[in-house]
Structure formats: structure tokens, C-alpha cells
Short mmCIF file of all heavy atoms in Angstrom, two decimals:
data_model
loop_
_atom_site.label_atom_id
_atom_site.label_comp_id
_atom_site.label_asym_id
_atom_site.label_seq_id
_atom_site.Cartn_x
_atom_site.Cartn_y
_atom_site.Cartn_z
N MET F 1 203.59 116.46 45.45
CA MET F 1 204.59 116.98 46.35
C MET F 1 204.79 115.99 47.50
O MET F 1 203.82 115.46 48.03
CB MET F 1 204.11 118.33 46.87
CG MET F 1 204.89 118.83 48.05
SD MET F 1 204.29 120.41 48.68
CE MET F 1 203.06 119.85 49.82
N TYR F 2 206.04 115.74 47.84
CA TYR F 2 206.32 114.87 48.97
C TYR F 2 206.10 115.62 50.28
O TYR F 2 206.55 116.74 50.45
CB TYR F 2 207.77 114.35 48.92
CG TYR F 2 207.93 113.20 47.99
CD1 TYR F 2 208.53 113.37 46.76
CD2 TYR F 2 207.48 111.94 48.33
CE1 TYR F 2 208.66 112.30 45.88
CE2 TYR F 2 207.61 110.88 47.46
CZ TYR F 2 208.20 111.06 46.25
OH TYR F 2 208.32 110.01 45.38
N VAL F 3 205.42 114.96 51.19
CA VAL F 3 205.22 115.49 52.53
C VAL F 3 206.31 114.91 53.43
O VAL F 3 206.93 115.61 54.21
CB VAL F 3 203.82 115.13 53.06
CG1 VAL F 3 203.68 115.49 54.53
CG2 VAL F 3 202.75 115.82 52.23
N CYS F 4 206.54 113.61 53.28
CA CYS F 4 207.56 112.92 54.07
C CYS F 4 208.62 112.38 53.11
O CYS F 4 208.37 111.39 52.40
CB CYS F 4 206.94 111.78 54.86
SG CYS F 4 208.14 110.81 55.80
N ILE F 5 209.75 113.02 53.11
CA ILE F 5 210.83 112.59 52.23
C ILE F 5 211.47 111.30 52.75
O ILE F 5 211.82 110.43 51.98
CB ILE F 5 211.87 113.71 52.06
CG1 ILE F 5 211.21 114.87 51.32
CG2 ILE F 5 213.12 113.22 51.34
CD1 ILE F 5 212.04 116.11 51.21
N CYS F 6 211.55 111.17 54.07
CA CYS F 6 212.17 109.98 54.66
C CYS F 6 211.48 108.70 54.21
O CYS F 6 212.14 107.69 53.96
CB CYS F 6 212.12 110.06 56.18
SG CYS F 6 213.04 111.43 56.91
N GLU F 7 210.15 108.73 54.10
CA GLU F 7 209.38 107.54 53.75
C GLU F 7 208.73 107.65 52.37
O GLU F 7 207.91 106.80 52.00
CB GLU F 7 208.31 107.27 54.81
CG GLU F 7 208.87 106.93 56.18
CD GLU F 7 209.62 105.61 56.23
OE1 GLU F 7 209.34 104.71 55.41
OE2 GLU F 7 210.49 105.46 57.10
N ALA F 8 209.06 108.69 51.62
CA ALA F 8 208.53 108.91 50.26
C ALA F 8 207.00 108.89 50.23
O ALA F 8 206.39 108.20 49.43
CB ALA F 8 209.11 107.91 49.28
N VAL F 9 206.39 109.68 51.11
CA VAL F 9 204.94 109.77 51.18
C VAL F 9 204.52 111.12 50.61
O VAL F 9 204.98 112.16 51.07
CB VAL F 9 204.43 109.63 52.63
CG1 VAL F 9 202.91 109.76 52.69
CG2 VAL F 9 204.88 108.30 53.23
N SER F 10 203.64 111.07 49.62
CA SER F 10 203.22 112.31 48.96
C SER F 10 201.93 112.85 49.58
O SER F 10 201.21 112.15 50.31
CB SER F 10 202.98 112.06 47.48
OG SER F 10 201.83 111.28 47.30
N GLU F 11 201.65 114.10 49.24
CA GLU F 11 200.40 114.73 49.66
C GLU F 11 199.22 113.90 49.14
O GLU F 11 198.25 113.67 49.86
CB GLU F 11 200.35 116.15 49.10
CG GLU F 11 199.11 116.92 49.45
CD GLU F 11 199.14 118.33 48.91
OE1 GLU F 11 200.20 118.81 48.46
OE2 GLU F 11 198.08 118.96 48.93
N GLN F 12 199.33 113.44 47.91
CA GLN F 12 198.25 112.64 47.31
C GLN F 12 198.06 111.33 48.06
O GLN F 12 196.93 110.87 48.23
CB GLN F 12 198.51 112.39 45.83
CG GLN F 12 197.32 111.80 45.11
CD GLN F 12 196.10 112.71 45.17
OE1 GLN F 12 196.19 113.88 44.83
NE2 GLN F 12 194.98 112.19 45.61
N ASP F 13 199.15 110.69 48.50
CA ASP F 13 199.04 109.46 49.28
C ASP F 13 198.19 109.69 50.53
O ASP F 13 197.32 108.88 50.87
CB ASP F 13 200.42 108.95 49.73
CG ASP F 13 201.30 108.49 48.59
OD1 ASP F 13 200.78 108.08 47.54
OD2 ASP F 13 202.54 108.57 48.76
N ILE F 14 198.42 110.82 51.19
CA ILE F 14 197.69 111.15 52.42
C ILE F 14 196.23 111.44 52.09
O ILE F 14 195.32 110.94 52.76
CB ILE F 14 198.37 112.31 53.15
CG1 ILE F 14 199.74 111.85 53.66
CG2 ILE F 14 197.49 112.82 54.30
CD1 ILE F 14 200.63 112.94 54.17
N LEU F 15 195.99 112.23 51.06
CA LEU F 15 194.62 112.56 50.67
C LEU F 15 193.85 111.31 50.26
O LEU F 15 192.66 111.17 50.57
CB LEU F 15 194.61 113.59 49.54
CG LEU F 15 195.12 114.98 49.91
CD1 LEU F 15 195.17 115.87 48.67
CD2 LEU F 15 194.28 115.61 50.99
N ASP F 16 194.52 110.38 49.60
CA ASP F 16 193.88 109.12 49.21
C ASP F 16 193.46 108.31 50.44
O ASP F 16 192.37 107.74 50.48
CB ASP F 16 194.80 108.28 48.33
CG ASP F 16 194.97 108.86 46.92
OD1 ASP F 16 194.17 109.75 46.53
OD2 ASP F 16 195.91 108.43 46.23
N LEU F 17 194.32 108.28 51.46
CA LEU F 17 193.98 107.55 52.69
C LEU F 17 192.80 108.20 53.40
O LEU F 17 191.92 107.51 53.90
CB LEU F 17 195.19 107.49 53.63
CG LEU F 17 196.21 106.42 53.33
CD1 LEU F 17 197.42 106.55 54.23
CD2 LEU F 17 195.58 105.04 53.51
N VAL F 18 192.79 109.53 53.45
CA VAL F 18 191.67 110.23 54.07
C VAL F 18 190.39 109.95 53.30
O VAL F 18 189.34 109.69 53.90
CB VAL F 18 191.97 111.75 54.17
CG1 VAL F 18 190.73 112.52 54.61
CG2 VAL F 18 193.12 112.00 55.14
N GLY F 19 190.49 109.97 51.98
CA GLY F 19 189.33 109.65 51.16
C GLY F 19 188.83 108.23 51.38
O GLY F 19 187.65 107.94 51.23
N ALA F 20 189.75 107.34 51.77
CA ALA F 20 189.38 105.94 52.02
C ALA F 20 188.93 105.71 53.46
O ALA F 20 188.62 104.58 53.84
CB ALA F 20 190.58 105.04 51.69
N GLY F 21 188.90 106.80 54.26
CA GLY F 21 188.36 106.64 55.61
C GLY F 21 189.28 106.95 56.76
O GLY F 21 188.85 106.96 57.91
N ALA F 22 190.57 107.17 56.52
CA ALA F 22 191.47 107.52 57.62
C ALA F 22 191.04 108.86 58.19
O ALA F 22 190.81 109.81 57.44
CB ALA F 22 192.91 107.59 57.13
N SER F 23 190.91 108.96 59.50
CA SER F 23 190.38 110.20 60.08
C SER F 23 191.32 110.90 61.05
O SER F 23 191.01 111.99 61.51
CB SER F 23 189.05 109.90 60.79
OG SER F 23 189.24 108.94 61.80
N THR F 24 192.46 110.29 61.36
CA THR F 24 193.41 110.94 62.26
C THR F 24 194.81 110.90 61.65
O THR F 24 195.14 110.02 60.85
CB THR F 24 193.47 110.23 63.63
OG1 THR F 24 194.01 108.91 63.46
CG2 THR F 24 192.10 110.16 64.28
N ALA F 25 195.63 111.86 62.08
CA ALA F 25 197.02 111.89 61.63
C ALA F 25 197.74 110.62 62.08
O ALA F 25 198.53 110.05 61.33
CB ALA F 25 197.72 113.13 62.18
N HIS F 26 197.44 110.16 63.28
CA HIS F 26 198.08 108.94 63.79
C HIS F 26 197.78 107.75 62.87
O HIS F 26 198.68 106.96 62.56
CB HIS F 26 197.60 108.65 65.21
CG HIS F 26 198.19 107.41 65.79
ND1 HIS F 26 199.50 107.34 66.22
CD2 HIS F 26 197.67 106.17 65.98
CE1 HIS F 26 199.75 106.12 66.66
NE2 HIS F 26 198.65 105.40 66.53
N GLU F 27 196.55 107.64 62.44
CA GLU F 27 196.16 106.54 61.55
C GLU F 27 196.92 106.63 60.22
O GLU F 27 197.42 105.62 59.71
CB GLU F 27 194.66 106.60 61.30
CG GLU F 27 194.10 105.42 60.58
CD GLU F 27 192.58 105.48 60.45
OE1 GLU F 27 191.94 106.36 61.05
OE2 GLU F 27 192.05 104.63 59.72
N VAL F 28 197.02 107.83 59.67
CA VAL F 28 197.75 108.03 58.41
C VAL F 28 199.23 107.71 58.61
O VAL F 28 199.85 107.03 57.78
CB VAL F 28 197.55 109.46 57.87
CG1 VAL F 28 198.51 109.76 56.73
CG2 VAL F 28 196.11 109.65 57.42
N MET F 29 199.81 108.18 59.71
CA MET F 29 201.23 107.92 59.98
C MET F 29 201.49 106.43 60.17
O MET F 29 202.52 105.92 59.73
CB MET F 29 201.70 108.72 61.19
CG MET F 29 201.83 110.19 60.89
SD MET F 29 202.58 111.13 62.24
CE MET F 29 201.13 111.79 63.00
N GLU F 30 200.56 105.75 60.80
CA GLU F 30 200.69 104.31 61.00
C GLU F 30 200.69 103.56 59.67
O GLU F 30 201.48 102.65 59.46
CB GLU F 30 199.52 103.84 61.87
CG GLU F 30 199.82 102.67 62.74
CD GLU F 30 198.65 102.43 63.69
OE1 GLU F 30 197.53 102.11 63.21
OE2 GLU F 30 198.87 102.57 64.90
N LYS F 31 199.82 103.96 58.75
CA LYS F 31 199.68 103.27 57.47
C LYS F 31 200.80 103.62 56.49
O LYS F 31 201.18 102.79 55.68
CB LYS F 31 198.33 103.57 56.85
CG LYS F 31 197.19 102.92 57.61
CD LYS F 31 195.87 103.20 56.99
CE LYS F 31 194.79 102.52 57.82
NZ LYS F 31 193.51 102.50 57.18
N THR F 32 201.30 104.86 56.54
CA THR F 32 202.30 105.29 55.56
C THR F 32 203.71 105.32 56.11
O THR F 32 204.66 105.40 55.36
CB THR F 32 201.98 106.71 55.05
OG1 THR F 32 202.06 107.62 56.15
CG2 THR F 32 200.64 106.78 54.39
N ARG F 33 203.85 105.32 57.42
CA ARG F 33 205.11 105.50 58.13
C ARG F 33 205.62 106.94 58.06
O ARG F 33 206.71 107.24 58.52
CB ARG F 33 206.17 104.50 57.66
CG ARG F 33 205.76 103.05 57.91
CD ARG F 33 206.87 102.03 57.81
NE ARG F 33 208.19 102.40 58.22
CZ ARG F 33 208.64 102.43 59.50
NH1 ARG F 33 207.83 102.12 60.49
NH2 ARG F 33 209.88 102.78 59.76
N ALA F 34 204.83 107.84 57.49
CA ALA F 34 205.20 109.26 57.47
C ALA F 34 205.32 109.74 58.91
O ALA F 34 204.52 109.37 59.76
CB ALA F 34 204.13 110.07 56.75
N GLY F 35 206.34 110.51 59.18
CA GLY F 35 206.54 111.05 60.52
C GLY F 35 207.20 110.11 61.50
O GLY F 35 207.38 110.45 62.67
N THR F 36 207.60 108.93 61.06
CA THR F 36 208.17 107.95 61.98
C THR F 36 209.69 108.00 62.06
O THR F 36 210.27 107.35 62.91
CB THR F 36 207.74 106.52 61.61
OG1 THR F 36 208.19 106.22 60.29
CG2 THR F 36 206.23 106.37 61.69
N ARG F 37 210.34 108.76 61.19
CA ARG F 37 211.79 108.87 61.24
C ARG F 37 212.19 110.17 61.92
O ARG F 37 212.31 110.24 63.12
CB ARG F 37 212.39 108.76 59.85
CG ARG F 37 212.48 107.33 59.37
CD ARG F 37 213.33 107.28 58.13
NE ARG F 37 213.52 105.92 57.70
CZ ARG F 37 214.16 105.60 56.61
NH1 ARG F 37 214.65 106.55 55.83
NH2 ARG F 37 214.31 104.36 56.26
N CYS F 38 212.38 111.21 61.13
CA CYS F 38 212.85 112.48 61.72
C CYS F 38 211.72 113.26 62.39
O CYS F 38 211.96 114.06 63.28
CB CYS F 38 213.55 113.34 60.67
SG CYS F 38 212.45 114.19 59.51
N GLY F 39 210.48 113.03 61.95
CA GLY F 39 209.32 113.67 62.57
C GLY F 39 209.02 115.08 62.11
O GLY F 39 208.03 115.68 62.55
N SER F 40 209.81 115.62 61.20
CA SER F 40 209.59 117.01 60.79
C SER F 40 208.31 117.20 59.98
O SER F 40 207.84 118.32 59.84
CB SER F 40 210.79 117.53 60.01
OG SER F 40 210.93 116.84 58.79
N CYS F 41 207.71 116.14 59.49
CA CYS F 41 206.50 116.26 58.67
C CYS F 41 205.22 116.03 59.47
O CYS F 41 204.12 116.14 58.92
CB CYS F 41 206.56 115.29 57.50
SG CYS F 41 206.58 113.56 58.00
N ARG F 42 205.31 115.73 60.73
CA ARG F 42 204.11 115.40 61.51
C ARG F 42 203.06 116.50 61.49
O ARG F 42 201.88 116.22 61.34
CB ARG F 42 204.49 115.07 62.95
CG ARG F 42 205.18 113.74 63.07
CD ARG F 42 205.53 113.43 64.50
NE ARG F 42 206.33 112.21 64.52
CZ ARG F 42 207.13 111.89 65.51
NH1 ARG F 42 207.24 112.70 66.56
NH2 ARG F 42 207.83 110.79 65.45
N ALA F 43 203.48 117.73 61.63
CA ALA F 43 202.51 118.84 61.61
C ALA F 43 201.84 118.96 60.25
O ALA F 43 200.64 119.25 60.16
CB ALA F 43 203.20 120.16 61.98
N THR F 44 202.60 118.70 59.19
CA THR F 44 202.04 118.77 57.84
C THR F 44 201.03 117.65 57.62
O THR F 44 199.96 117.87 57.05
CB THR F 44 203.16 118.70 56.79
OG1 THR F 44 204.09 119.75 57.05
CG2 THR F 44 202.60 118.85 55.38
N VAL F 45 201.36 116.46 58.08
CA VAL F 45 200.43 115.33 57.97
C VAL F 45 199.14 115.68 58.72
O VAL F 45 198.03 115.51 58.18
CB VAL F 45 201.04 114.03 58.52
CG1 VAL F 45 200.00 112.92 58.60
CG2 VAL F 45 202.23 113.60 57.69
N LYS F 46 199.26 116.21 59.91
CA LYS F 46 198.10 116.57 60.71
C LYS F 46 197.26 117.63 59.98
O LYS F 46 196.03 117.53 59.92
CB LYS F 46 198.54 117.10 62.07
CG LYS F 46 197.40 117.40 63.00
CD LYS F 46 197.90 117.81 64.38
CE LYS F 46 196.72 117.94 65.32
NZ LYS F 46 196.55 119.24 65.86
N SER F 47 197.91 118.63 59.41
CA SER F 47 197.19 119.68 58.67
C SER F 47 196.43 119.11 57.48
O SER F 47 195.30 119.51 57.21
CB SER F 47 198.16 120.75 58.18
OG SER F 47 198.65 121.49 59.26
N LEU F 48 197.05 118.20 56.78
CA LEU F 48 196.38 117.58 55.63
C LEU F 48 195.17 116.77 56.06
O LEU F 48 194.11 116.85 55.44
CB LEU F 48 197.35 116.70 54.85
CG LEU F 48 198.29 117.43 53.91
CD1 LEU F 48 199.40 116.50 53.45
CD2 LEU F 48 197.53 117.98 52.74
N VAL F 49 195.32 116.00 57.12
CA VAL F 49 194.22 115.16 57.58
C VAL F 49 193.06 116.03 58.08
O VAL F 49 191.89 115.73 57.84
CB VAL F 49 194.69 114.19 58.69
CG1 VAL F 49 193.51 113.47 59.33
CG2 VAL F 49 195.69 113.19 58.13
N GLU F 50 193.38 117.15 58.71
CA GLU F 50 192.34 118.03 59.23
C GLU F 50 191.78 118.97 58.16
O GLU F 50 190.87 119.73 58.42
CB GLU F 50 192.88 118.83 60.40
CG GLU F 50 193.17 117.93 61.60
CD GLU F 50 193.84 118.64 62.74
OE1 GLU F 50 194.16 119.85 62.62
OE2 GLU F 50 194.05 117.99 63.78
N GLY F 51 192.35 118.92 56.94
CA GLY F 51 191.83 119.73 55.85
C GLY F 51 192.34 121.15 55.80
O GLY F 51 191.77 121.99 55.12
N ASP F 52 193.44 121.43 56.51
CA ASP F 52 193.97 122.79 56.56
C ASP F 52 195.01 123.09 55.50
O ASP F 52 195.43 124.22 55.35
CB ASP F 52 194.60 123.06 57.93
CG ASP F 52 193.59 122.94 59.04
OD1 ASP F 52 192.40 123.19 58.78
OD2 ASP F 52 193.98 122.60 60.16
N GLY F 53 195.53 122.12 54.77
CA GLY F 53 196.57 122.35 53.77
C GLY F 53 197.71 121.42 54.04
O GLY F 53 197.55 120.50 54.80
N PRO F 54 198.86 121.54 53.51
CA PRO F 54 199.23 122.49 52.47
C PRO F 54 198.78 121.98 51.11
O PRO F 54 198.53 120.79 50.95
CB PRO F 54 200.76 122.50 52.54
CG PRO F 54 201.09 121.10 52.90
CD PRO F 54 199.97 120.66 53.84
N VAL F 55 198.72 122.88 50.17
CA VAL F 55 198.43 122.51 48.80
C VAL F 55 199.37 123.28 47.91
O VAL F 55 199.99 124.25 48.34
CB VAL F 55 196.97 122.81 48.39
CG1 VAL F 55 196.00 121.93 49.14
CG2 VAL F 55 196.63 124.26 48.60
N SER F 56 199.45 122.89 46.68
CA SER F 56 200.29 123.56 45.70
C SER F 56 199.87 125.00 45.56
O SER F 56 198.69 125.34 45.67
CB SER F 56 200.15 122.83 44.37
OG SER F 56 200.57 123.64 43.32
N THR F 57 200.81 125.88 45.26
CA THR F 57 200.48 127.29 45.04
C THR F 57 199.68 127.46 43.77
O THR F 57 199.08 128.50 43.55
CB THR F 57 201.76 128.14 44.95
OG1 THR F 57 202.59 127.59 43.93
CG2 THR F 57 202.49 128.17 46.26
N GLU F 58 199.63 126.44 42.93
CA GLU F 58 198.85 126.48 41.70
C GLU F 58 197.38 126.19 41.97
O GLU F 58 196.55 126.32 41.10
CB GLU F 58 199.38 125.45 40.70
CG GLU F 58 200.80 125.74 40.28
CD GLU F 58 201.39 124.59 39.50
OE1 GLU F 58 200.66 123.66 39.13
OE2 GLU F 58 202.60 124.62 39.26
N CYS F 59 197.04 125.80 43.16
CA CYS F 59 195.67 125.46 43.51
C CYS F 59 194.84 126.72 43.70
O CYS F 59 195.14 127.54 44.55
CB CYS F 59 195.66 124.64 44.80
SG CYS F 59 194.04 124.24 45.40
N ALA F 60 193.81 126.85 42.91
CA ALA F 60 192.90 128.00 43.05
C ALA F 60 191.61 127.51 43.69
O ALA F 60 191.28 126.33 43.62
CB ALA F 60 192.62 128.59 41.67
N ASP F 61 190.89 128.41 44.32
CA ASP F 61 189.64 128.04 44.98
C ASP F 61 188.67 127.34 44.04
O ASP F 61 187.90 126.49 44.44
CB ASP F 61 188.96 129.26 45.59
CG ASP F 61 189.69 129.76 46.81
OD1 ASP F 61 190.40 128.95 47.44
OD2 ASP F 61 189.55 130.94 47.14
N SER F 62 188.70 127.72 42.77
CA SER F 62 187.75 127.15 41.83
C SER F 62 188.22 125.82 41.22
O SER F 62 187.48 125.18 40.51
CB SER F 62 187.49 128.14 40.69
OG SER F 62 188.70 128.40 40.01
N ALA F 63 189.44 125.42 41.52
CA ALA F 63 189.97 124.19 40.93
C ALA F 63 189.36 122.97 41.61
O ALA F 63 189.50 122.80 42.81
CB ALA F 63 191.49 124.15 41.06
N PRO F 64 188.68 122.11 40.86
CA PRO F 64 188.04 120.95 41.48
C PRO F 64 189.03 119.93 42.00
O PRO F 64 188.67 119.09 42.80
CB PRO F 64 187.20 120.36 40.34
CG PRO F 64 187.82 120.86 39.10
CD PRO F 64 188.44 122.18 39.43
N THR F 65 190.30 119.99 41.58
CA THR F 65 191.28 119.01 42.03
C THR F 65 192.13 119.52 43.18
O THR F 65 193.06 118.85 43.60
CB THR F 65 192.21 118.59 40.88
OG1 THR F 65 192.82 119.76 40.36
CG2 THR F 65 191.45 117.86 39.80
N CYS F 66 191.84 120.70 43.68
CA CYS F 66 192.59 121.25 44.81
C CYS F 66 192.53 120.26 45.97
O CYS F 66 191.46 119.78 46.33
CB CYS F 66 191.97 122.59 45.21
SG CYS F 66 192.62 123.24 46.76
N GLY F 67 193.67 119.95 46.57
CA GLY F 67 193.73 118.96 47.64
C GLY F 67 192.82 119.26 48.82
O GLY F 67 192.08 118.39 49.27
N VAL F 68 192.85 120.48 49.32
CA VAL F 68 192.02 120.83 50.47
C VAL F 68 190.55 120.83 50.08
O VAL F 68 189.71 120.30 50.79
CB VAL F 68 192.43 122.20 51.05
CG1 VAL F 68 191.44 122.67 52.09
CG2 VAL F 68 193.81 122.12 51.66
N ARG F 69 190.24 121.41 48.92
CA ARG F 69 188.85 121.44 48.46
C ARG F 69 188.33 120.01 48.27
O ARG F 69 187.23 119.67 48.69
CB ARG F 69 188.76 122.22 47.16
CG ARG F 69 187.36 122.32 46.62
CD ARG F 69 187.40 123.07 45.30
NE ARG F 69 186.16 122.92 44.61
CZ ARG F 69 185.25 123.86 44.51
NH1 ARG F 69 185.44 125.02 45.07
NH2 ARG F 69 184.14 123.63 43.85
N ARG F 70 189.14 119.15 47.69
CA ARG F 70 188.76 117.76 47.46
C ARG F 70 188.54 117.05 48.79
O ARG F 70 187.56 116.32 48.96
CB ARG F 70 189.85 117.06 46.66
CG ARG F 70 189.54 115.61 46.36
CD ARG F 70 190.60 115.04 45.41
NE ARG F 70 190.44 113.63 45.34
CZ ARG F 70 191.19 112.75 45.99
NH1 ARG F 70 192.19 113.16 46.72
NH2 ARG F 70 190.98 111.47 45.89
N LEU F 71 189.41 117.28 49.74
CA LEU F 71 189.30 116.65 51.05
C LEU F 71 188.01 117.10 51.74
O LEU F 71 187.29 116.29 52.30
CB LEU F 71 190.51 117.02 51.91
CG LEU F 71 190.57 116.44 53.30
CD1 LEU F 71 190.54 114.92 53.25
CD2 LEU F 71 191.84 116.91 53.99
N ARG F 72 187.70 118.38 51.66
CA ARG F 72 186.47 118.88 52.28
C ARG F 72 185.24 118.29 51.61
O ARG F 72 184.25 117.99 52.25
CB ARG F 72 186.46 120.40 52.25
CG ARG F 72 187.45 120.97 53.24
CD ARG F 72 187.34 122.45 53.39
NE ARG F 72 188.30 122.89 54.40
CZ ARG F 72 189.12 123.90 54.25
NH1 ARG F 72 189.09 124.62 53.15
NH2 ARG F 72 189.97 124.21 55.21
N MET F 73 185.31 118.13 50.28
CA MET F 73 184.19 117.54 49.55
C MET F 73 184.01 116.08 49.97
O MET F 73 182.89 115.62 50.16
CB MET F 73 184.42 117.65 48.04
CG MET F 73 184.28 119.07 47.53
SD MET F 73 184.86 119.37 45.84
CE MET F 73 184.27 118.01 44.92
N ILE F 74 185.09 115.36 50.14
CA ILE F 74 185.03 113.96 50.57
C ILE F 74 184.41 113.88 51.96
O ILE F 74 183.54 113.07 52.23
CB ILE F 74 186.43 113.32 50.57
CG1 ILE F 74 186.91 113.13 49.13
CG2 ILE F 74 186.43 111.98 51.31
CD1 ILE F 74 188.38 112.78 49.00
N ARG F 75 184.87 114.76 52.86
CA ARG F 75 184.35 114.75 54.23
C ARG F 75 182.86 115.09 54.25
O ARG F 75 182.10 114.49 54.98
CB ARG F 75 185.12 115.74 55.10
CG ARG F 75 186.46 115.21 55.49
CD ARG F 75 187.02 116.02 56.59
NE ARG F 75 188.22 115.38 57.08
CZ ARG F 75 189.18 115.99 57.71
NH1 ARG F 75 189.10 117.28 57.92
NH2 ARG F 75 190.23 115.34 58.12
N SER F 76 182.46 116.07 53.44
CA SER F 76 181.04 116.45 53.38
C SER F 76 180.19 115.28 52.90
O SER F 76 179.12 115.01 53.44
CB SER F 76 180.85 117.64 52.44
OG SER F 76 181.47 118.76 52.96
N ALA F 77 180.67 114.60 51.88
CA ALA F 77 179.94 113.44 51.36
C ALA F 77 179.85 112.33 52.40
O ALA F 77 178.81 111.69 52.53
CB ALA F 77 180.60 112.94 50.08
N SER F 78 180.92 112.12 53.15
CA SER F 78 180.93 111.08 54.16
C SER F 78 179.98 111.41 55.30
O SER F 78 179.32 110.55 55.84
CB SER F 78 182.35 110.90 54.73
OG SER F 78 183.21 110.47 53.73
N SER F 79 179.92 112.69 55.69
CA SER F 79 179.06 113.12 56.77
C SER F 79 177.60 113.00 56.41
O SER F 79 176.75 112.69 57.26
CB SER F 79 179.34 114.58 57.14
OG SER F 79 180.68 114.80 57.35
N ALA F 80 177.29 113.27 55.16
CA ALA F 80 175.90 113.23 54.70
C ALA F 80 175.36 111.82 54.61
O ALA F 80 174.16 111.60 54.69
CB ALA F 80 175.79 113.93 53.34
N ALA F 81 176.25 110.87 54.46
CA ALA F 81 175.81 109.47 54.29
C ALA F 81 175.39 108.84 55.59
O ALA F 81 175.53 109.23 56.63
CB ALA F 81 176.93 108.66 53.66
#
């Protein structure tokens, strides 16, 4: 799903950056340019970086590929290291 249509940035693009170490919405926006045009996606980018969503309605709590669940698992692994 696209989060930023203006810059063609997907939810997966953002999750991949967070998995690679990006820790703030500003950092993600800087790297992807999401939120730099109309700005309507800034809150969504922030929510994704903070692990609050959004995710597909097909995402179930038990799904290992759920975006939020995956992000939390990545963060937990990073914190433990």
C-alpha cells in the first residue's frame, strides 16, 4: 500500500528503512522524500515509524508478516542486542 502517493513511497519502503535502523519519522521522510510535497502523509509516516500502524485490514495478530508486528519484532531484537 502506498503511504505517500506524491513520492511513490510504500508502507513496506518505510518498514524496510525502520528495519535498517531509521528511528524517526524525520529520518524516514528525509530518505524517502515522503511528506515533502503535500504533507498529508506525515502523520501516517510517523505512525508507521512509531509502530502504531497502519496495516492492511488483512493483517491478523497471528500473521508473522503483519507490518506492525514485524516492526515491533525488529525493535525488540534491536533493543536486546
Side-chain angles (χ1 to χ4, degrees):
M1 166 181 88
Y2 279 104
V3 171
C4 177
I5 294 174
C6 298
E7 296 294 334
V9 179
S10 71
E11 180 178 348
Q12 191 60 52
D13 293 333
I14 294 169
L15 293 175
D16 288 346
L17 279 174
V18 171
S23 59
T24 67
H26 179 74
E27 189 176 352
V28 169
M29 288 187 261
E30 211 171 64
K31 290 181 180 191
T32 63
R33 298 195 34 81
T36 60
R37 281 191 175 176
C38 77
S40 66
C41 63
R42 288 180 187 158
T44 304
V45 171
K46 184 175 186 241
S47 290
L48 280 167
V49 172
E50 293 175 356
D52 298 332
V55 293
S56 161
T57 55
E58 297 169 10
C59 176
D61 287 336
S62 61
T65 56
C66 170
V68 171
R69 181 182 166 106
R70 181 173 169 258
L71 181 58
R72 288 188 178 132
M73 288 168 43
I74 290 168
R75 284 194 171 157
S76 294
S78 297
S79 310

